[in-house]
Amino acid sequence: MQQASHPTVILGGGFAGLFTALHLSHQNYSHPIILIEQRDRFSFKPLLYELLSGELHNTQVYPRYKELLADSRVSFVQDTVESIALHQRRVILASGKIFDYGNLILALGSKTTYFDTAGAAEHAIPFTSGEEAMALRKHLRHRLHQAIQTQDSQRRRLLLTVAIIGAGPAGIELACTLADLLPIWYDELGGDADEIRVVVVNRSREILKGDVNSHLRCTVQQALKRRVVPVDFLFDAAVTKINPDGVEYRQHEQTQILPAGTIAWTAGTAPNPLLMELPVVKNRGRLVVTPTLQLPDFPEIFAAGDCAIDRDNPQPTTAQVAYQQGKAIAHNLKRLGEGKPPTSVQIQMRGTLMKLGLNEGVANLFNKVQIKGQPGHLIREATYLQLLPNSAHNRKATTEWLTDELFQRHRPFSHMQLGQTPLLHGVATLAAGLILATPLIWRAAFPMQFQQNLSWTGVPSLLDGLTPASR
């Protein structure tokens, strides 16, 4: 049980940490809540592609913690954790501040890892935060402006080539986004969009290898072919060095170089190095936790998100898992405060969502039904916007998104047919998406109820013909 005079301290403001704090605040938790995070803004990672492209605004995807927590009981401390003394129940920050805690939540997330690749940290741009997404956007814009001003065709080809390291979900979603977005940006400058090249460099021959989205491989491959410019792949290519203007790699026992003016790194992450110093059981750098998300030897400490693993029930390191873990930790802390034992955390996987280009996506609902194209895009954005950290921000962001969809405001693309007004285009898009999505979501979530209630209409048979679960 928590010491009455000491607060609950949460380290890390990602999905797990932030949602733990917010749920504690909403349930009128009796102890002080302190959230410590080194950044001043929350990065809604699944929607960083929309931040890069301009499909969504900074305030929607990259809000300040102080704004998100303004009406809560959470005290926000922007600082870096220097060390954690588990036996003394103490956290020491880089500023010299010290916090003694009754309960501690470790949600420090992960860091980009370059696997000791020479030059990667200096010359490759990672893509894990709002700050990095905006840096990549600025860099790409600069490269396009350079390209339009040069007469040297070889130099222009280099400036217009983007290399993306890694073919996991982040690499694929980024490639699809840029393959649609860069031609539009370059066309606005008067350039030839056909000169744009997007290349994904991958160590193996499979995209999405070992990922929770691997079963979407066929859908992804089809989407890659429909982009404004094709996405090229270098398979079986082990990156050995990143240069300022290119990628050096080994392929078929030969060293080769891919000239590229932009190099984005999505090849992997590793647990926060601070965790390696803790005297607790780990599994590949992640903290081993019990089914209640507590550390076995320190039950006053909970851990979640990318930095924790329950070896008997491992979960993918996704936003929906971290969100549910945050809610579960808050629930268990409340139980502990009431003198009750914590309960095991039950994670419900509700399917996966992927962005496959501008205005295109796939929603794999409950791993049963795939909704693709523009309806998939609408479901994906609407679902993520409903997960935004607090209700006021949620309503504001969702309203802004809905308005933008209806009136096509702030869009980086607008290739509408002649005579089609923005309002009619937006209404038709939204209506089509919702009309198609509603029965599919119902069928995926409650198949028996769906069949019983709508069998007389013929809709179940129609949907079975259009989108069988095996596809």
Side-chain angles (χ1 to χ4, degrees), residues 49-55 137 140-141 144 174-188 193 196 198 227-229 355 357-358 411-413 415:
Y49 314 96
E50 281 80 359
L51 179 62
L52 169 70
S53 66
E55 292 170 271
R137 175 188 176 94
L140 288 166
R141 287 282 201 181
L144 295 179
L174 182 59
C176 288
T177 301
L178 294 182
D180 282 351
L181 179 65
L182 293 180
I184 295 169
W185 282 355
Y186 198 46
D187 181 69
E188 291 172 350
I196 300 288
V198 178
R227 309 293 28 101
V228 176
V229 297
K355 183 176 181 63
L358 299 183
R411 311 297 282 181
F413 52 97
H415 301 300

Coordinates of all heavy atoms in Angstrom, one line a residue, residues 49-55 137 140-141 144 174-188 193 196 198 227-229 355 357-358 411-413 415:
Y49 N 2.2 10.7 -39.4 CA 2.2 10.8 -40.8 C 1.3 11.9 -41.3 O 1.6 12.7 -42.2 CB 1.8 9.5 -41.5 CG 2.4 8.3 -40.9 CD1 1.8 7.6 -39.8 CD2 3.7 7.9 -41.3 CE1 2.5 6.5 -39.3 CE2 4.4 6.9 -40.7 CZ 3.8 6.2 -39.7 OH 4.4 5.1 -39.1
E50 N 0.2 12.1 -40.6 CA -0.8 13.2 -40.8 C -0.1 14.5 -40.4 O -0.4 15.6 -41.1 CB -2.1 13.0 -40.1 CG -3.0 12.0 -40.8 CD -2.7 10.5 -40.5 OE1 -1.7 10.3 -39.8 OE2 -3.4 9.7 -41.0
L51 N 0.7 14.5 -39.4 CA 1.4 15.8 -39.0 C 2.4 16.1 -40.1 O 2.5 17.3 -40.4 CB 2.1 15.6 -37.7 CG 2.9 16.7 -37.1 CD1 2.0 17.9 -36.9 CD2 3.6 16.3 -35.8
L52 N 3.1 15.1 -40.6 CA 4.1 15.4 -41.6 C 3.4 15.9 -42.9 O 3.9 16.9 -43.5 CB 4.8 14.0 -42.0 CG 5.7 14.0 -43.2 CD1 6.9 14.8 -43.0 CD2 6.1 12.6 -43.5
S53 N 2.3 15.4 -43.3 CA 1.7 15.7 -44.5 C 0.8 17.0 -44.4 O 0.5 17.6 -45.5 CB 0.8 14.6 -45.0 OG -0.3 14.4 -44.1
G54 N 0.4 17.4 -43.2 CA -0.5 18.5 -43.1 C -1.9 18.1 -43.1 O -2.8 19.0 -43.0
E55 N -2.2 16.8 -43.1 CA -3.6 16.3 -43.1 C -4.3 16.7 -41.7 O -5.5 16.9 -41.6 CB -3.7 14.8 -43.3 CG -3.3 14.5 -44.8 CD -3.2 13.0 -44.9 OE1 -2.1 12.4 -44.7 OE2 -4.2 12.3 -45.2
R137 N 9.8 16.9 -42.3 CA 9.0 17.8 -43.2 C 9.8 19.0 -43.7 O 9.9 19.2 -45.0 CB 7.7 18.3 -42.5 CG 6.9 19.3 -43.3 CD 5.7 19.8 -42.5 NE 5.0 20.8 -43.2 CZ 3.9 20.6 -43.9 NH1 3.4 19.4 -43.9 NH2 3.2 21.6 -44.5
L140 N 12.6 17.7 -46.1 CA 12.1 17.4 -47.4 C 11.8 18.6 -48.3 O 12.1 18.6 -49.5 CB 10.9 16.5 -47.3 CG 11.1 15.0 -46.8 CD1 9.8 14.4 -46.3 CD2 11.8 14.2 -47.8
R141 N 11.1 19.6 -47.7 CA 10.8 20.8 -48.4 C 12.1 21.5 -48.9 O 12.1 22.0 -50.0 CB 10.0 21.8 -47.4 CG 8.6 21.3 -47.1 CD 7.7 21.7 -48.3 NE 6.3 21.8 -47.9 CZ 5.3 22.1 -48.7 NH1 5.6 22.3 -50.0 NH2 4.1 22.1 -48.3
L144 N 13.4 19.6 -51.9 CA 12.7 19.9 -53.2 C 13.0 21.3 -53.7 O 13.1 21.4 -55.0 CB 11.2 19.8 -52.9 CG 10.6 18.5 -52.4 CD1 9.1 18.6 -52.2 CD2 10.9 17.4 -53.5
L174 N 5.3 5.4 -43.8 CA 6.0 6.6 -44.2 C 6.2 6.5 -45.7 O 6.0 7.6 -46.4 CB 7.3 6.6 -43.5 CG 8.2 7.9 -43.8 CD1 7.4 9.2 -43.4 CD2 9.5 7.8 -43.0
A175 N 6.6 5.4 -46.3 CA 6.8 5.3 -47.7 C 5.5 5.6 -48.5 O 5.6 6.3 -49.5 CB 7.3 3.9 -48.1
C176 N 4.4 5.0 -48.1 CA 3.1 5.3 -48.8 C 2.8 6.8 -48.7 O 2.3 7.3 -49.7 CB 2.0 4.4 -48.2 SG 2.1 2.7 -48.5
T177 N 3.0 7.4 -47.6 CA 2.6 8.8 -47.4 C 3.5 9.7 -48.3 O 3.0 10.5 -49.0 CB 2.9 9.2 -45.9 OG1 2.0 8.4 -45.1 CG2 2.5 10.7 -45.7
L178 N 4.8 9.4 -48.3 CA 5.7 10.3 -49.1 C 5.6 10.0 -50.6 O 5.7 10.9 -51.4 CB 7.2 10.0 -48.7 CG 7.5 10.4 -47.3 CD1 9.0 10.1 -47.0 CD2 7.2 11.9 -47.0
A179 N 5.2 8.8 -51.0 CA 5.0 8.5 -52.4 C 3.8 9.2 -53.0 O 3.7 9.5 -54.2 CB 4.9 7.0 -52.6
D180 N 2.9 9.6 -52.1 CA 1.8 10.5 -52.6 C 2.0 12.0 -52.4 O 1.6 12.8 -53.2 CB 0.5 10.1 -51.8 CG -0.2 8.8 -52.3 OD1 0.3 8.3 -53.3 OD2 -1.1 8.3 -51.6
L181 N 2.7 12.3 -51.3 CA 2.8 13.7 -50.8 C 3.9 14.4 -51.6 O 3.7 15.6 -52.1 CB 3.2 13.7 -49.4 CG 3.4 15.1 -48.7 CD1 2.1 15.9 -48.8 CD2 3.9 14.9 -47.3
L182 N 5.1 13.8 -51.8 CA 6.2 14.5 -52.4 C 5.9 15.0 -53.9 O 6.3 16.1 -54.3 CB 7.5 13.7 -52.4 CG 8.1 13.5 -50.9 CD1 9.3 12.6 -51.0 CD2 8.4 14.8 -50.3
P183 N 5.3 14.1 -54.7 CA 4.9 14.6 -56.0 C 4.0 15.8 -56.0 O 4.2 16.7 -56.9 CB 4.2 13.4 -56.6 CG 4.7 12.2 -55.9 CD 4.9 12.7 -54.5
I184 N 3.1 15.9 -55.0 CA 2.3 17.1 -54.9 C 3.1 18.3 -54.6 O 2.9 19.4 -55.2 CB 1.2 16.8 -53.9 CG1 0.2 15.7 -54.4 CG2 0.4 18.1 -53.6 CD1 -0.7 15.2 -53.3
W185 N 3.9 18.2 -53.6 CA 4.8 19.3 -53.2 C 5.7 19.8 -54.3 O 5.9 21.0 -54.6 CB 5.7 18.9 -52.0 CG 5.0 18.9 -50.7 CD1 3.7 19.4 -50.4 CD2 5.5 18.5 -49.4 NE1 3.4 19.2 -49.1 CE2 4.5 18.7 -48.4 CE3 6.7 18.0 -49.0 CZ2 4.7 18.4 -47.1 CZ3 6.9 17.6 -47.7 CH2 5.9 17.8 -46.7
Y186 N 6.3 18.8 -55.0 CA 7.2 19.2 -56.1 C 6.5 19.8 -57.3 O 7.0 20.7 -58.0 CB 8.0 17.9 -56.5 CG 9.3 18.2 -57.3 CD1 10.1 19.2 -56.9 CD2 9.6 17.5 -58.5 CE1 11.3 19.5 -57.6 CE2 10.7 17.8 -59.2 CZ 11.6 18.7 -58.7 OH 12.8 19.0 -59.4
D187 N 5.3 19.3 -57.6 CA 4.5 19.8 -58.7 C 4.1 21.3 -58.4 O 4.1 22.1 -59.3 CB 3.2 19.0 -58.8 CG 2.3 19.5 -60.0 OD1 2.7 19.3 -61.1 OD2 1.2 20.0 -59.7
E188 N 3.9 21.6 -57.1 CA 3.6 23.0 -56.7 C 4.7 23.9 -57.0 O 4.5 25.1 -57.3 CB 3.2 23.0 -55.3 CG 1.8 22.4 -54.9 CD 1.6 22.3 -53.4 OE1 2.6 22.6 -52.7 OE2 0.5 22.0 -53.0
A193 N 7.0 15.5 -61.2 CA 6.8 14.6 -60.2 C 7.4 13.2 -60.4 O 7.7 12.4 -59.5 CB 5.3 14.5 -59.9
I196 N 10.6 12.0 -58.7 CA 10.6 11.6 -57.3 C 10.9 10.1 -57.2 O 10.3 9.3 -57.9 CB 9.3 12.0 -56.6 CG1 9.0 13.5 -56.6 CG2 9.3 11.5 -55.1 CD1 9.9 14.3 -55.7
V198 N 11.1 7.0 -54.1 CA 11.0 6.6 -52.7 C 11.5 5.1 -52.6 O 10.9 4.3 -53.3 CB 9.6 6.7 -52.1 CG1 9.6 6.2 -50.7 CG2 9.1 8.1 -52.2
R227 N 0.3 4.1 -55.5 CA 0.8 5.4 -55.1 C 1.1 6.3 -56.3 O 1.2 5.8 -57.4 CB 2.0 5.3 -54.2 CG 1.9 4.4 -53.1 CD 0.9 4.7 -51.9 NE -0.2 5.5 -52.1 CZ -1.5 4.9 -52.2 NH1 -1.7 3.6 -52.2 NH2 -2.5 5.7 -52.3
V228 N 1.1 7.6 -56.1 CA 1.4 8.5 -57.2 C 2.7 8.2 -57.9 O 2.8 8.3 -59.1 CB 1.4 10.0 -56.6 CG1 1.7 11.0 -57.8 CG2 0.0 10.3 -56.0
V229 N 3.7 8.0 -57.1 CA 5.0 7.4 -57.7 C 5.2 6.1 -57.0 O 4.9 5.8 -55.9 CB 6.2 8.4 -57.4 CG1 6.0 9.7 -58.1 CG2 6.5 8.6 -55.9
K355 N -1.9 3.4 -42.2 CA -2.1 4.4 -43.2 C -1.3 3.9 -44.5 O -0.1 3.6 -44.4 CB -1.5 5.7 -42.7 CG -1.6 6.9 -43.7 CD -1.1 8.2 -43.1 CE -1.2 9.4 -44.0 NZ -2.6 9.6 -44.3
G357 N -1.2 5.8 -47.6 CA -1.1 6.8 -48.5 C -2.1 8.0 -48.1 O -2.8 7.9 -47.1
L358 N -2.1 9.1 -48.9 CA -3.0 10.1 -48.6 C -4.4 9.7 -48.9 O -4.7 9.2 -49.9 CB -2.6 11.4 -49.4 CG -1.2 12.0 -49.2 CD1 -1.0 13.2 -50.1 CD2 -1.0 12.3 -47.7
R411 N -5.9 20.9 -46.8 CA -5.5 19.6 -47.4 C -4.3 19.8 -48.3 O -4.2 20.8 -49.0 CB -6.7 19.1 -48.3 CG -8.0 19.0 -47.6 CD -8.0 18.1 -46.4 NE -8.1 16.8 -46.7 CZ -8.2 15.8 -45.9 NH1 -8.1 16.0 -44.6 NH2 -8.3 14.5 -46.3
P412 N -3.3 18.9 -48.3 CA -2.2 19.0 -49.1 C -2.4 18.6 -50.5 O -1.6 18.5 -51.3 CB -1.2 18.1 -48.4 CG -2.0 17.1 -47.8 CD -3.3 17.8 -47.4
F413 N -3.7 18.2 -50.8 CA -4.0 17.7 -52.1 C -5.4 18.0 -52.4 O -6.3 18.0 -51.5 CB -3.8 16.1 -52.2 CG -4.5 15.4 -51.2 CD1 -5.7 14.8 -51.4 CD2 -3.9 15.3 -49.9 CE1 -6.3 14.1 -50.4 CE2 -4.5 14.6 -48.9 CZ -5.8 14.0 -49.1
H415 N -7.3 17.0 -55.9 CA -7.5 16.7 -57.3 C -8.9 16.2 -57.4 O -9.2 15.0 -57.7 CB -6.5 15.6 -57.7 CG -5.1 16.0 -57.5 ND1 -4.5 17.1 -58.2 CD2 -4.1 15.5 -56.8 CE1 -3.3 17.2 -57.9 NE2 -3.0 16.3 -57.0

